[in-house]
Amino acid sequence: MFETQEYTVTHSNAPSLRSFIQIDPASDFPIQNLPYGVFSAADSPKPRVGVAIGDFVLDLAVLEDEGLLDLSPAYEVFAQPSLNPFMALGPVVWSKVRAAISALLRDDNPRLRDDKPLRSRALRPRNEVTLHLPFHVAGYTDFYSSKEHATNVGVMFRGKDNALQPNWLHMPIGYNGRASTVVVSGTRVRRPRGQLKPPSADVPSFGPCKRLDFELEMGVVIGQPSSLGEMLTETQAEAMIFGFVLLNDWSARDIQQWEYVPLGPFQSKAFATSISPWVVTREALEPFRVAGPAQDPTPLPYLQQVSAQNYDLALDVALQAAGSNAVQNISQTNFKYMYWSSVQQLMHHASSGCAMSVGDLLGSGTISGPEKHQRGSLLEISWNGTEPVELAGGVKRTFLEDGDSLVMRGWCQGNGYRVGFGEVEGTIVAAD
Amino acid sequence: MFETQEYTVTHSNAPSLRSFIQIDPASDFPIQNLPYGVFSAADSPKPRVGVAIGDFVLDLAVLEDEGLLDLSPAYEVFAQPSLNPFMALGPVVWSKVRAAISALLRDDNPRLRDDKPLRSRALRPRNEVTLHLPFHVAGYTDFYSSKEHATNVGVMFRGKDNALQPNWLHMPIGYNGRASTVVVSGTRVRRPRGQLKPPSADVPSFGPCKRLDFELEMGVVIGQPSSLGEMLTETQAEAMIFGFVLLNDWSARDIQQWEYVPLGPFQSKAFATSISPWVVTREALEPFRVAGPAQDPTPLPYLQQVSAQNYDLALDVALQAAGSNAVQNISQTNFKYMYWSSVQQLMHHASSGCAMSVGDLLGSGTISGPEKHQRGSLLEISWNGTEPVELAGGVKRTFLEDGDSLVMRGWCQGNGYRVGFGEVEGTIVAAD
């Protein structure tokens, strides 16, 4: 516990806040952000929880051990290899700890700033640590909540007049994904094998996927459980959201096309889902809330949301083709376009009485925008392979090739600072 | 460790084996079975692992503590609230421990039989204990592998000529289910709410499901992990299977009908999946292996299985209507009819490189047989609600009503003994 608060109390999101750590205005990790992750270092290989601040990682296990985080000494939630124990403590504690970390990093608080031995134990250069999957994924659910994405896919496969399925405007359509293969940014993605049956073939064959794609998504990290049989109000759902990650829902389009009727995607999505190592808290994103698109028809009462539904969160996708040095932007969009919000997805998820768990991950669904450059998957960008993407040096892509590296970034732009997610990167390796 | 083996070594499945505990030939739990579960008692409320034997539960935490289970003293895998730590030790240990338990329970082995103080600590009347969910469900996947069931559903909704989807004969179709709502037998099942849009309605409404159904399934319990990117051979897949449970895949047909296009069942299956408290080991079922149905076309090489694919395992379903004393059998079928085997399901599941986890649960899919009395769901039994089931006292059912209790049983009939699963029971309670 820090005992004196001689500095002025300032909200942890205030643009005026400054840290004693020098932070570039273009950094994703100013004092207004404070995202959580799990890291280890060569000299201390046990993974534990840290917070990104500028070019450093703040070791929360050290601060907790010193009694500086306003937590009961009994907890020991940060000397753990996942965020789940901390998340389980609930939103009041999340807020208190965020305030304590913010106060410790302020330029006008001497406690950490002037304690050189503590600083050298607690602050590590970010490029010297290894980042791990930040939480144990209890369950992974993937939604399909961008109207532009669902419409693009519908036009491609069913034509303009039947683009949206009849249920789409009435609820956030989603399916259960595979939690065991959620991996952290930087994990190489092996090209999946599967049954393929192109229209020209009479029977399926088994082999490496030929239409490997990404899907640009945000992931919601659920930090509180709900009970079997319990529905959620908007207030309850909101309070259960710990934070957000960038999410790449890798997709094997050819495997998906053959397997998905009638029970949905299975092996086409099961081989990997990549997330960013940093979980940006709901609290850090609060200043960036904006209204979502008008919902027509009006959602059923159990899905209605009073507060601003969306976040103004810029997203881009860059592709570095195998063997090339050029990293080229292939999509620029924004999370604000989503038709169904994360809170609505969560209220729908629990509506049958489905119990939610600490560590559940909810993918937003591919985030596409109204413009062509805002499409969130190669399926849409290359219009089902018919319009190749032109990259530097005459390289073209319809889908991903072995050796390609894909990087997604996301950030909210504040006044003189940005609250960013870092990146989620994945490089494709050959099937064998 | 038991140090002397004066009795003859006999295979733990041998029909000639006898226990010093008196066991009725109609009991599900003779010495040839030895299924694992997790239990607690009023005087010792900490859940731990036990084995069902006749009318008793054998407390493995006590036996492990006494050094009687041929396990390294460091393990302490049975004083745990789930089977996962034991399962993680792998098939060689599973087999050794089974042999040790079998030996301890034999009528010609004095070690436990004549040690009255140990016996009274280790053996508890089954009706005095509480049974819990036997393992932590890491992931739950549900398949759709009965040709008769898929055909029945197809005929109902698409007509006889298009009953089976084109992919069905080429792979075990499945989808990811919701692991957090897998519950143990005896847990009451709240009627789910959801979006309903009968054909007569222009727009959906939200309310209690009106077409609540069961699905009779077996569940495979995966006891060993596989790595990201790794495919499985038949031998590997077989060795990863720890055992089987009875499984009731509760289904809200009306919610399902409206939500499932194009991403599959979601809230219609998310509210509850019930399993039996006893996990019958693969080893105990070995004598009951039989060939499965002929597979035409021949499966692709990655799905081919050399050993006998199926088990001769009788199954029945009984319904006790609300307010009635009569428990009436409404389905009698057999696991042996399944078209795709559990090993094939597992090989398919890992085929994309999907990592399997200790504690994964794979539902077989509804088990229907070729005859009308062998249908494994009310959807089929009542032919989509058009042919009500006639119960005692003039009661009729098309789907389940509040207060209805449904019981599934399963067993393999040996010569003078049966290897049974006990039951999985669930009673429907009103939505509010």
Side-chain angles (χ1 to χ4, degrees), chain B residues 16-340:
Chain B
S16 61
L17 274 183
R18 291 286 173 272
S19 173
F20 61 84
I21 296 170
Q22 291 300 312
I23 296 167
D24 190 282
S27 169
D28 278 340
F29 308 124
I31 190 170
Q32 288 82 4
N33 189 349
L34 307 179
Y36 292 93
V38 169
F39 76 100
S40 62
D43 64 345
S44 51
K46 199 173 162 246
R48 67 273 194 188
V49 176
V51 152
I53 178 77
D55 293 331
F56 294 86
V57 173
L58 183 66
D59 187 332
L60 297 191
V62 168
L63 298 188
E64 184 179 16
D65 194 46
E66 291 283 322
L68 292 171
L69 292 180
D70 202 6
L71 276 172
S72 157
Y75 283 144
E76 290 203 8
V77 288
F78 292 125
Q80 303 275 354
S82 88
L83 281 166
N84 300 52
F86 173 54
M87 293 197 294
L89 299 180
V92 173
V93 174
W94 307 340
S95 208
K96 268 175 54 178
V97 168
R98 175 176 168 79
I101 297 168
S102 177
L104 282 169
L105 288 169
R106 285 176 57 166
D107 59 359
D108 57 354
N109 180 358
R111 180 65 190 86
L112 178 60
R113 184 191 69 196
D114 298 347
D115 186 339
K116 202 172 164 190
L118 178 61
R119 236 173 50 214
S120 79
R121 284 196 297 134
L123 282 165
R124 288 172 175 268
R126 198 147 46 78
N127 58 14
E128 291 177 10
V129 306
T130 301
L131 296 168
H132 303 273
L133 194 67
F135 58 100
H136 170 74
V137 182
Y140 167 45
T141 305
D142 194 29
F143 285 90
Y144 185 58
S145 290
S146 154
K147 190 173 174 184
E148 290 80 4
H149 170 70
T151 303
N152 284 339
V153 173
V155 169
M156 247 178 262
F157 294 109
R158 283 183 305 274
K160 211 164 180 175
D161 294 337
N162 302 299
L164 278 188
Q165 299 283 1
N167 53 19
W168 200 93
L169 289 170
H170 296 280
M171 64 175 131
I173 295 294
Y175 66 101
N176 300 295
R178 178 75 190 172
S180 74
T181 47
V182 175
V183 296
V184 72
S185 176
T187 306
R188 298 190 311 167
V189 174
R190 187 168 298 280
R191 179 178 297 276
R193 293 184 185 80
Q195 285 201 21
L196 314 173
K197 190 187 161 299
S200 58
D202 289 334
V203 292
S205 59
F206 186 81
C209 154
K210 291 174 180 155
R211 294 159 66 88
L212 183 56
D213 202 355
F214 69 87
E215 291 191 346
L216 168 64
E217 304 194 14
M218 294 299 297
V220 177
V221 185
I222 305 300
Q224 287 284 281
S226 69
S227 303
L228 194 67
E230 177 189 341
M231 290 185 65
L232 299 174
T233 64
E234 176 187 351
T235 307
Q236 289 168 331
E238 184 87 56
M240 286 166 65
I241 295 176
F242 177 74
F244 292 80
V245 289
L246 295 168
L247 186 150
N248 184 346
D249 175 29
W250 302 99
S251 299
R253 299 296 177 198
D254 38 10
I255 299 174
Q256 187 175 357
Q257 187 62 26
W258 172 235
E259 77 173 358
Y260 90 107
V261 174
L263 299 182
F266 181 43
Q267 291 304 288
S268 54
K269 304 271 197 170
F271 55 99
T273 303
S274 300
I275 64 171
S276 60
W278 298 111
V279 183
V280 175
T281 62
R282 179 167 51 84
E283 204 169 342
L285 295 174
E286 204 53 36
F288 306 100
R289 285 181 90 128
V290 291
Q295 294 184 317
D296 181 22
T298 302
L300 285 162
Y302 83 100
L303 283 173
Q304 286 172 15
Q305 186 175 0
V306 173
S307 66
Q309 293 188 199
N310 286 14
Y311 296 95
D312 181 3
L313 195 166
L315 292 159
D316 72 27
V317 182
L319 176 62
Q320 182 172 7
S324 163
N325 290 322
V327 180
Q328 195 159 334
N329 198 296
I330 58 171
S331 178
Q332 281 178 288
T333 184
N334 197 298
F335 193 35
K336 72 182 177 189
Y337 296 123
M338 298 305 280
Y339 189 87
W340 295 104

Side-chain angles (χ1 to χ4, degrees), chain A residues 202-382:
Chain A
D202 289 334
V203 293
S205 59
F206 186 83
C209 154
K210 292 173 180 156
R211 293 160 66 88
L212 183 56
D213 202 356
F214 69 86
E215 291 191 346
L216 168 64
E217 304 195 15
M218 295 298 299
V220 177
V221 184
I222 304 301
Q224 287 284 279
S226 69
S227 302
L228 194 67
E230 178 189 341
M231 289 184 66
L232 299 175
T233 63
E234 176 186 351
T235 307
Q236 290 168 330
E238 185 87 56
M240 287 166 64
I241 295 177
F242 176 74
F244 292 80
V245 289
L246 296 168
L247 187 151
N248 183 347
D249 176 30
W250 302 99
S251 300
R253 299 296 177 199
D254 38 9
I255 298 175
Q256 187 175 358
Q257 187 63 25
W258 172 235
E259 77 173 358
Y260 89 107
V261 174
L263 299 181
F266 181 44
Q267 291 305 288
S268 55
K269 304 272 197 168
F271 55 99
T273 303
S274 300
I275 63 171
S276 60
W278 298 111
V279 182
V280 176
T281 62
R282 180 167 50 84
E283 205 169 341
L285 295 174
E286 204 54 37
F288 307 99
R289 285 181 90 128
V290 291
Q295 294 184 316
D296 180 23
T298 303
L300 285 162
Y302 84 101
L303 282 174
Q304 287 172 14
Q305 186 175 359
V306 173
S307 65
Q309 292 187 199
N310 286 14
Y311 296 95
D312 182 2
L313 195 166
L315 292 160
D316 71 29
V317 182
L319 176 60
Q320 182 173 8
S324 163
N325 290 322
V327 180
Q328 194 158 336
N329 199 297
I330 58 172
S331 178
Q332 282 178 289
T333 184
N334 196 299
F335 194 34
K336 72 182 177 188
Y337 295 123
M338 296 305 279
Y339 188 88
W340 294 105
S341 75
S342 305
V343 167
Q344 288 177 318
Q345 290 172 342
L346 182 51
M347 291 193 290
H348 182 64
H349 205 321
S351 66
S352 69
C354 177
M356 304 306 298
S357 305
V358 174
D360 279 342
L361 175 64
L362 275 52
S364 61
T366 307
I367 304 166
S368 294
E371 305 294 328
K372 205 167 169 178
H373 70 274
Q374 294 175 325
R375 294 171 176 174
S377 65
L378 276 170
L379 179 70
E380 295 164 88
I381 295 170
S382 77

